[in-house]
Amino acid sequence: ITLIGAYSAGAYWAVSLFARRALFVPSQLNYVYHDFFTDHGFMLWGRGVENSELRNGAHLVGEQVFGSSVMSANTGWIGSGYMNAGYYGIFLYAVLIGLIYAVLDTVSSHERLPLVISLSLLPMISLLTSSDLPTSILTHGGGLIILLLHINWPPRTKEPLIG
């Protein structure tokens, strides 16, 4: 609604900024990561590529591709999976994200669905658009949310088989 209001008020720059940053930049960064790490080798969940000092992939791509030593070109699971292990990394991340979704589906029941969605929405969006999988699980709250949902799992009541 805000973007529609900004567009009708003539603030085309706000709509353009949102569309470019939300829709085009994340997909462009996947291609940038593919090109860069195809040429320079994979990181294998380490810090740095071929004598590049100790930097993470986002800072390395920001410096080498975009020419800014302070830029952090964060990408989602596709680019970071490729950065770490190529197509095998993308496949591994896809399987792990599928397992995370399966766990979230398991801990959600009809009455707990709003709780699970509200707790896991931001870490999952971060994982899919702008963060590496281990970073999202360990520091963005993904692992903590899964742990808290398991701790708060309601006990199952035993129902008789023949009623």
Side-chain angles (χ1 to χ4, degrees):
I1 293 173
T2 304
L3 289 175
I4 292 171
Y7 184 79
S8 62
Y12 303 118
W13 63 270
V15 178
S16 172
L17 180 68
F18 171 77
R20 185 180 60 80
R21 181 65 186 117
L23 302 175
F24 297 116
V25 170
S27 61
Q28 178 191 14
L29 281 175
N30 288 331
Y31 288 109
V32 168
Y33 269 65
H34 179 270
D35 292 341
F36 182 79
F37 289 104
T38 298
D39 295 340
H40 294 90
F42 304 122
M43 293 184 70
L44 301 174
W45 292 275
R47 304 221 5 130
V49 176
E50 295 180 4
N51 302 323
S52 64
E53 302 173 13
L54 294 176
R55 290 175 282 188
N56 64 17
H59 285 113
L60 188 63
V61 169
E63 181 179 326
Q64 298 294 322
V65 175
F66 295 105
S68 173
S69 62
V70 295
M71 181 178 183
S72 181
N74 291 324
T75 186
W77 69 276
I78 296 173
S80 60
Y82 189 82
M83 167 187 73
N84 287 310
Y87 295 114
Y88 296 113
I90 295 173
F91 180 74
L92 177 66
Y93 277 20
V95 169
L96 293 175
I97 290 170
L99 290 173
I100 290 170
Y101 278 134
V103 167
L104 290 174
D105 185 48
T106 301
V107 298
S108 66
S109 60
H110 182 66
E111 23 328 299
R112 288 176 47 116
L113 186 61
L115 175 70
V116 172
I117 290 173
S118 64
L119 288 176
S120 63
L121 187 63
L122 289 177
M124 292 311 293
I125 288 174
S126 171
L127 168 66
L128 296 176
T129 60
S130 65
S131 180
D132 196 6
L133 180 64
T135 304
S136 182
I137 295 298
L138 296 174
T139 64
H140 293 174
L144 181 64
I145 287 169
I146 291 172
L147 179 68
L148 289 175
L149 287 171
H150 269 52
I151 290 172
N152 191 25
W153 193 315
R156 295 185 180 191
T157 57
K158 293 185 179 181
E159 298 178 14
L161 295 175
I162 300 175

